[in-house]
Amino acid sequence: MTFSIVARCRRTGELGVAALTAKPGVGKLVTHVLAGAGAVATQAVTNPILAYDGLPMLAEGRSPKEVVDEVLARDPGREVRQVGMVDNHGRSYAFTGEHTLDWSGHLVGPGYAVQGNRLVGPDPLDEIAKVFLDNPDLELAERLLRAIQVGEQAGGDRAGSRSATVTVIGDQPYPLWDLRVDDADHPAKELHRLFEVFHDEMVESIRKLPTREDPMGEAAREILGRTS
């Protein structure tokens, strides 16, 4: 009972996923990202195992279609599942089971997959894809945030909205962005507020953390430089 977008930024290589639903805690089990592998949304009657099994397979270089087909073949409940997947190369694929709640469906294109169920109709998915594609110069996190906002404005979940999330990972195992609204009357609006706070107070600090290539990190280097 959710709509979501999984995406890769062609300009930066960042991977991300965003979702909104009528239930609490959409970021807990629906959205999954693994650096160097891909991003997955698993929704409708959610099965997180599809993401936990699928992401390591993407990391091996297998295509999203191959991965989704294989993990669903092992799932006897696949006809009530919905999955969107994009890999580290921008290949994408989505699946909507025959017994997901109307209206349900998905859109897939280079670098993204958009999927939703129990929607007012196909318009929210069309609008989500459009706003994502129309803003290639923005940071991926902001593109995903705008996509969530326009999806809600276009009607979104027929039962309303209660939780929303945006997660983005770059080339390190920890997220650049991890925004979650678990229970709110207007989750897309609250997500936007958190985005502004995170942008102003957190992103620069995260970019100064240790990396695989720089085990010290710029933040520690700045402090040690002042005390030496």
Side-chain angles (χ1 to χ4, degrees):
M1 304 170 187
T2 306
F3 66 80
S4 65
I5 176 171
V6 294
R8 177 184 181 272
C9 177
R10 183 176 181 180
R11 180 171 52 84
T12 65
E14 293 173 359
L15 294 159
V17 56
L20 183 144
T21 191
K23 290 186 175 182
V26 68
K28 305 296 185 186
L29 299 172
V30 170
T31 58
H32 307 264
V33 191
L34 179 64
V40 182
T42 169
Q43 56 197 52
V45 181
T46 305
N47 180 358
I49 299 300
L50 302 178
Y52 284 104
D53 286 354
L55 284 168
M57 294 163 67
L58 288 181
E60 296 172 356
R62 301 172 68 178
S63 74
K65 183 181 188 308
E66 180 183 3
V67 171
V68 170
D69 287 348
E70 182 168 329
V71 295
L72 284 173
R74 301 196 294 262
D75 181 357
R78 55 187 168 274
E79 295 305 335
V80 294
R81 315 292 188 206
Q82 193 168 45
V83 185
M85 185 177 288
V86 65
D87 73 2
N88 200 41
H89 306 288
R91 297 177 296 181
S92 57
Y93 187 70
F95 169 86
T96 299
E98 290 186 2
H99 298 299
T100 53
L101 295 176
D102 286 336
W103 186 89
S104 62
H106 54 263
L107 292 173
V108 175
Y112 74 93
V114 183
Q115 42 283 323
N117 61 87
R118 201 179 66 173
L119 302 183
V120 295
D123 289 349
L125 300 191
D126 293 334
E127 293 299 319
I128 290 168
K130 183 178 186 301
V131 76
F132 176 76
L133 293 171
D134 285 351
N135 294 279
D137 296 329
L138 295 179
E139 287 193 41
L140 181 58
E142 186 169 357
R143 295 171 75 185
L144 296 177
L145 174 65
R146 291 190 181 194
I148 288 297
Q149 291 174 313
V150 76
E152 185 178 47
Q153 292 164 6
D157 191 315
R158 288 189 286 110
S161 55
R162 191 170 172 186
S163 65
T165 187
V166 170
T167 302
V168 172
I169 280 182
D171 58 357
Q172 301 303 313
Y174 50 79
L176 286 171
W177 297 83
D178 188 3
L179 308 177
R180 297 186 182 190
V181 177
D182 285 338
D183 187 13
D185 291 335
H186 303 286
K189 181 178 180 180
E190 176 63 10
L191 199 70
H192 185 270
R193 186 190 71 81
L194 291 176
F195 176 87
E196 297 292 342
V197 172
F198 203 84
H199 181 274
D200 293 343
E201 300 183 27
M202 287 293 294
V203 173
E204 183 178 355
S205 297
I206 290 172
R207 295 190 185 278
K208 292 182 178 181
L209 293 175
T211 66
R212 298 296 191 194
E213 298 75 24
D214 179 10
M216 177 178 286
E218 187 61 28
R221 187 173 296 105
E222 290 176 358
I223 293 172
L224 291 173
R226 290 196 297 268
T227 58
S228 60

